[in-house]
Amino acid sequence: MASIENEQEAAPVAKKGGKGLMMAMGLAVLVLLGVVGYLLLQSRTAKAGAETTAAQAPKTPELYLPLDPAFVVNFQDQDSTRYLQVGVTVMTHDPNAVQAMKDSDPVIRNALVMLFSSQTYTGLSDLNGKKKLQTEALDAVRKIVADKTGKPDVDALYFTSFVMQ
């Protein structure tokens, strides 16, 4: 009987030890989850801080330069002479590019007059033809600015008016 009593006494001790071990493991898991959560929160806060800093960095403002007066050219279309009047404004973020365009105004105007006068009425009659002409004009201005400054710092070219007759 003594051996049965010893076994019965040993069983509750094993259960108590098991509960303690389970509680210790549960506590360790909770602590581990807390540490992981804290680290993730710190990581997100650091990323958000970096994004905020990047968003707050001063952006260079857009600079617009209208090429005045508007371009007026004539071009041949089958049996008649047609006229094209185009208002052009260029946009950049670089003040040096604005100065380069001002300094190169005669060269830019010449290139654009030659480009505009080489067009056909049929080619400019639809939106795709106008967009193609806009791209070619932007490329011409970029090339001139790149020759002057070493980099083509012209971001866009806009037709502010476009009249064909």
Side-chain angles (χ1 to χ4, degrees):
M1 257 207 204
S3 66
I4 294 176
E5 285 179 15
N6 287 342
E7 287 177 19
Q8 288 175 353
E9 287 177 13
V13 171
K15 282 185 180 177
K16 230 182 194 182
K19 283 184 183 178
L21 182 60
M22 291 292 280
M23 285 178 47
M25 287 181 65
L27 183 61
V29 167
L30 285 175
V31 169
L32 182 62
L33 287 175
V35 169
V36 168
Y38 174 77
L39 292 175
L40 286 175
L41 183 61
Q42 290 299 319
S43 173
R44 286 185 184 169
T45 304
K47 285 181 185 177
E51 290 172 2
T52 303
T53 304
Q56 292 174 352
K59 293 182 180 179
T60 309
E62 296 170 342
L63 304 169
Y64 295 94
L65 178 66
L67 301 179
D68 289 328
F71 295 85
V72 179
V73 297
N74 58 345
F75 57 95
Q76 197 66 32
D77 182 50
Q78 294 176 4
D79 297 329
S80 62
T81 301
R82 300 232 178 222
Y83 296 93
L84 174 66
Q85 178 185 2
V86 182
V88 176
T89 298
V90 290
M91 189 269 291
T92 182
H93 290 91
D94 185 5
N96 294 331
V98 171
Q99 190 58 48
M101 285 185 282
K102 287 179 181 179
D103 294 344
S104 301
D105 185 64
V107 178
I108 291 172
R109 292 189 71 77
N110 178 66
L112 293 180
V113 164
M114 297 306 222
L115 177 64
F116 295 153
S117 63
S118 69
Q119 302 304 304
T120 64
Y121 182 78
T122 326
L124 296 177
S125 294
D126 66 349
L127 183 61
N128 288 334
K130 291 176 180 79
K131 285 183 177 182
K132 181 180 179 223
L133 178 61
Q134 183 181 27
T135 301
E136 290 172 355
L138 176 60
D139 291 342
V141 173
R142 281 181 172 162
K143 182 180 180 318
I144 294 166
V145 171
D147 289 346
K148 187 90 170 164
T149 65
K151 42 188 180 169
D153 284 335
V154 179
D155 298 318
L157 181 138
Y158 302 105
F159 291 152
T160 54
S161 67
F162 198 95
V163 180
M164 289 192 310
Q165 182 177 348

